[in-house]
Structures are given as C-alpha cells and as structure tokens.
Amino acid sequence: MLDAFSRAVVSADAKGVCLGSDELAALRRHVADANIRIDATNAISQNISCIAADAVSGMVCENAGMTQPGGNCYPTRRMAACLRDGEIILRYVSYALLAGDPSVLDDRCLNGLKDTYLALGVPIKNAVRAVTIMKAATVAIITDTNSGPSAFKDISGKGSDCKNIAAEAASYFDRVINSLS
Amino acid sequence: MKSAVTTVITAADAAGRFPSLSDLEAVKESFTRAAARMQAAEKLAAGIDNVTADALNAVYNDGKYDQATRDKCARDIHHYLRLISYCLVVGGTGPLDEWGIAGMREVFRTLGIPTTAYIEAFVHIRNRVCVPRDMDQKAADEFKALIDYLINALS
C-alpha cells in the first residue's frame, strides 16, 4: 500500500536519486491541503449509511424485481450481502482518499472483485449503478451541496474549496466502476 | 510501504472500520510534522555528496580500514543516506526497512563486511549535524532519529 508520499519515493528510487525540489513542492502542497483531505474523509466516515445503504436501496428501487423471489436481492441474506459490499467499497475509497493514492483500493478491494461477482452471479450492471449513486452522494456530501451546513459542521471550506478533493474522491469511484465493467 | 498514513490505514483495515476520529488525528499529527521532515529531506538531498565525503574522510583517514574498500563504502553510505531522505519524506521507516535493512545482515555476513565502519560513519554524520547552519532543530531531530534507527539496525 502506498500513499502520496511513498508514491513519490518509489518513483525517485526507481531513478536512484533523492527527491527533487519539484516533487517536494508537490508534496508540500499536499500537506498544505491536509485539513481539507482529512475533513473530506471524515465526511465519508460520518455519513456511511447515508452514502452506502441509500445507494444500494436506490439501485434496488430502480429494479423492482430484485427483492422478489428469483431476484438477485432475494432473500434478505443476499440483500444484506449487497449492503455490506456497498459499505466495503466505500470504506476502501475512504482509505484511498486519506492516503491520496489509489493503491490500497486496487490491492485490497478491486483485485479480483469482478471475478468474484461473476462467479457469484452478481449482476455487474446493478453493482455499477450502486457505485455510481455512491459517487454522486459522496461528491455532494464533500462539497456540502445537498445536505446543508448542518449535516457536517466545521468542514474546511465549502463548495469550491472542496472541488479538488471531491474530484479526487470521484476518480476513486470511477476506478471501481472501470474495474467492474 | 510503512509510512505515517499507511500505518493508520492498515490498522483501520485490520479492524474493518472506516477512518475514525483518532485515526484522522494521527494522520493530522503526521502532517504537522511534515514541514520539518521535508526541510531535512531537502537539505540532505542538497548536501548528500558532501556529507558522504565528509563521513568517509572521518572513517578512512586514520588508516584503520583498508583503503581499497573506500569506494564501496562511499557507495553504501550514499545509498543509506538516500533511503533516510526517503524516510523523511514518507514520515516512517518503510523505505529503510524494505530497501536497506531487510537482508542487510545476511549480505554483510556472507561478504565479510565489517559494519563498524558504517556505524562510525553514521555516528560522525549524526554528530556533525549543526543547528541552525544545516537545518532547523525540528528537522535535525527527525534526521537524527532516523540515523539512530539505522545505527541500531547495523549494530
């Protein structure tokens, strides 16, 4: 698992040199924006069910047959597994966001996920839909657009201040979507 | 790789929990120390050749060690200093552990390399760090802590 710092170190080591001033300047910017990153991660941690459970149930609502006999979320044991997976994917996205690097998401979550879903007969299209809703909800919560300031107090900056970190979070969800489809 | 942030994430993942407030506090704490670490890494990178040469002179000039090994010793000291600069950047001992210390004992034993020369060199480097000529006090503390870590591994 790498973070933004060790990613820079690994690429410097491949060249056998110390980090140059450009790389250090980039890392200093990363440090300067640390509070926004930490608050964005905290925003996810504090809205887990708002993001994960709502996304999965939203996806199920769009496909009414899923909870009927013969559907992929019937019986509740399979619905529970679906809810649990939404939360697991969100958790690894939150780790990647905190680290500032997608390697933890790739190594520990996405590696083999599609094969597992295919083997278990999970409909990929619906899984992707749930992740898409999670992405929209996460971006909205990080930029604090849909839930109002009361939902998450003391976040560093509002709206446009969080644009970059929200885009980064969205890129991790896109990574999940790409790896599944 | 073990760094300030990945250590926290590994622990959270082992427990299966989202990053908690105390996890985030720990990450924040590491970010507040980052400025000093970056400064140390920057100064070390700028002076790495001089520091290596200075340490070599201190070790080899009294004729205690075979001069034939001088170039190889220079290469290794330079290598370890580079790894220390990486550790300063990531805020953990991961680069030293994975690229410098793992397997080191076995290599030294097999090749019959005396580690005392390295230890002398790094003790010299540690003692030569001068505040504020070379770097700030906090940066020097971070740097010396990593040199001590390496000396412990070598001895």
Side-chain angles (χ1 to χ4, degrees), chain A residues 1 3 17 35 92 95 108, chain B residues 1 3 13 17 19 28 86:
Chain A
M1 186 206 314
D3 61 5
V17 294
N35 279 346
Y92 283 103
Y95 295 159
R108 301 192 178 194
Chain B
M1 174 182 295
S3 77
D13 191 25
R17 64 163 190 268
K28 202 177 153 88
Y86 293 162

Side-chain angles (χ1 to χ4, degrees), chain B residues 25-49:
Chain B
E25 281 292 327
V27 170
K28 202 177 153 88
E29 166 66 25
S30 83
F31 277 123
T32 58
R33 282 171 45 213
R37 291 194 276 104
M38 298 270 186
Q39 191 201 34
E42 193 169 27
K43 302 284 187 192
L44 178 59
I48 191 165
D49 292 331

Side-chain angles (χ1 to χ4, degrees), chain B residues 17 114 124 142:
Chain B
R17 64 163 190 268
H124 178 78
E142 301 276 355

Side-chain angles (χ1 to χ4, degrees), chain A residues 23-92:
Chain A
E23 288 113 313
L24 283 175
L27 290 175
R28 285 195 169 111
R29 276 197 299 281
H30 181 83
V31 171
D33 290 341
N35 279 346
I36 293 182
R37 181 174 298 278
I38 288 170
D39 282 349
T41 311
N42 198 14
I44 295 179
S45 291
Q46 304 217 326
N47 291 283
I48 301 166
S49 71
C50 176
I51 299 171
D54 283 12
V56 171
S57 22
M59 176 272 292
V60 170
C61 285
E62 291 172 358
N63 303 276
M66 289 195 90
T67 49
Q68 306 296 320
N72 282 87
C73 286
Y74 178 87
T76 48
R77 179 182 61 78
R78 289 162 86 188
M79 179 69 184
C82 190
L83 286 163
R84 179 205 61 194
D85 278 15
E87 215 166 274
I88 289 175
I89 290 171
L90 181 64
R91 182 158 61 82
Y92 283 103

